[in-house]
Amino acid sequence: MTSVVAPVRRAWTITQVTSYLYSTSFAAPHLFGNDRRAFETRLTEALAPLTDDGHLTEDNAFTVLTARRPSPSEDWSWT
């Protein structure tokens, strides 16, 4: 088995964060009903101080694990 870690840095605008949230089942637009505009306003107010030149930076990492079964000709005995 092998493991590879791939670091990722993404820049998001507040509009992109809002759109991402709306694409999820827990923050779908219809769940806010008449409060949708208020939610967007409060979200913008909360995130705006955290932006750098209008962008939020996300640092993340993807870990990829790969494995394979041994071929019949390989000896994988544990003795």
Side-chain angles (χ1 to χ4, degrees), residues 2 4 11 17 35-36 47 51 77:
T2 61
V4 177
V17 170
D35 295 326
R36 181 176 171 180
L47 294 178
T51 64
S77 62

Side-chain angles (χ1 to χ4, degrees), residues 4-74:
V4 177
V5 177
V8 177
R9 175 171 275 188
R10 290 185 266 198
W12 297 72
T13 64
I14 293 173
T15 300
Q16 288 172 317
V17 170
T18 305
S19 296
Y20 167 74
L21 288 173
Y22 285 157
S23 75
T24 67
S25 61
F26 60 85
H30 72 275
L31 298 174
F32 294 96
N34 293 333
D35 295 326
R36 181 176 171 180
R37 295 285 180 229
F39 166 73
E40 290 176 5
T41 299
R42 295 205 49 197
L43 180 63
T44 299
E45 290 170 351
L47 294 178
L50 305 174
T51 64
D52 181 20
D53 196 27
H55 290 89
L56 297 152
T57 302
E58 174 191 12
D59 288 315
N60 205 340
F62 293 99
T63 302
V64 179
L65 302 174
T66 56
R68 66 180 183 86
R69 293 182 185 180
S71 70
S73 64
E74 293 176 296

